Amino acid sequence: MYWKKLLNWSKAPDIEEPEEIKGSKINLRSKKIEDAEQDYEWRSDPELSALDATVPINISLREYISHFKDELKYPVPWSVKYAIEDKNGYLIGNIMYYDIDPIEKEAEIGIIIGNKAFLSKGFGTDALHTLVSHVFDTTNIMLLYLHTLTTNHRAIKAFKKVGFKEVGPVRKEGMNFIKMDLLKNDWEKINPQNNR
């Protein structure tokens, strides 16, 4: 919280990150140790790793839980992570904003719907919409951006539904990405009910 106050990061610097943010189809909540085993399963899945442009993790569950505990105990101020739950409290994925730059007032977004039964049903779009609304409403961030593989058509479609626009191609680590971004001013034009 000191970091947020120091850099005028939050519009309400005395308020901690909420434990739960409600969307229409999902809720976002703070990560907890009980998520570790499910997260490990998702991060070990070759199909999900390919969509995320990573390789499956190559450590034991025990090692992963140890790292997970450290992240919960010592969170870094430039990354905020949430679990995505359906309205029944069932964990279906993760979303975060990270590489937070309080000087440039921008951050990157990452999302994964790990439970494949929830893909292509609007849960990811709602999670993204809910997080974007929260970030623009409670912080001084003016620009959110993301990178997605050019082949991940489902993700590109979801990002566009929320309002992200293609900026251009990016080549990283031998892979082709599309950079997409969303300015707060554009967000407010397409979501006037969120302006406060």
Side-chain angles (χ1 to χ4, degrees):
M1 182 155 61
Y2 171 75
W3 187 82
K4 282 185 176 183
K5 283 182 181 177
L6 181 67
L7 295 171
N8 193 24
W9 158 248
S10 172
K11 289 181 181 175
D14 293 328
I15 298 173
E16 292 286 344
E17 283 292 324
E19 296 216 359
E20 186 175 73
I21 307 164
K22 295 182 184 296
S24 59
K25 296 183 80 159
I26 56 84
N27 293 328
L28 306 181
R29 63 152 171 84
S30 302
K31 296 294 291 175
K32 54 189 179 183
I33 192 60
E34 292 81 9
D35 300 335
E37 198 166 333
Q38 182 63 74
D39 282 4
Y40 178 81
E41 185 180 316
W42 293 337
R43 299 219 24 221
S44 303
D45 184 307
E47 184 183 350
L48 291 174
S49 295
L51 288 172
D52 202 29
T54 61
V55 294
I57 57 173
N58 191 18
I59 59 174
S60 70
L61 175 59
R62 185 176 178 171
E63 290 173 293
Y64 184 79
I65 290 173
S66 176
H67 291 302
F68 198 94
K69 282 181 182 174
D70 286 344
E71 283 186 13
L72 290 177
K73 191 172 181 180
Y74 307 107
V76 294
W78 53 85
S79 177
V80 181
K81 301 175 181 178
Y82 293 102
I84 304 169
E85 291 183 337
D86 72 0
K87 289 298 185 177
N88 295 315
Y90 186 70
L91 180 64
I92 64 169
N94 295 307
I95 193 167
M96 64 190 290
Y97 61 109
Y98 63 103
D99 287 346
I100 298 166
D101 185 334
I103 306 303
E104 296 295 326
K105 297 184 177 179
E106 63 182 28
E108 186 160 4
I109 284 190
I111 181 172
I112 184 167
I113 299 298
N115 187 314
K116 296 170 191 173
F118 288 83
L119 290 171
S120 298
K121 295 180 179 173
F123 289 91
T125 301
D126 187 48
L128 193 61
H129 187 279
T130 302
L131 181 68
V132 168
S133 181
H134 170 72
V135 170
F136 283 149
D137 190 45
T138 64
T139 76
N140 290 325
I141 289 291
M142 301 301 289
L143 173 71
L144 291 168
Y145 64 93
L146 54 87
H147 295 86
T148 190
L149 289 166
T150 56
T151 54
N152 194 344
H153 304 293
R154 179 173 47 228
I156 293 168
K157 184 178 175 184
F159 299 142
K160 285 182 176 179
K161 277 185 185 175
V162 174
F164 282 84
K165 295 177 182 170
E166 292 185 29
V167 176
V170 176
R171 181 109 174 132
K172 291 195 304 187
E173 299 176 13
M175 292 179 277
N176 295 316
F177 295 85
I178 296 172
K179 182 177 183 182
M180 302 178 78
D181 69 20
L182 178 57
L183 288 163
K184 182 176 182 177
N185 289 343
D186 292 338
W187 170 258
E188 290 174 345
K189 287 174 192 168
I190 58 176
N191 296 281
Q193 71 279 7
N194 287 337
N195 298 340
R196 293 184 185 150

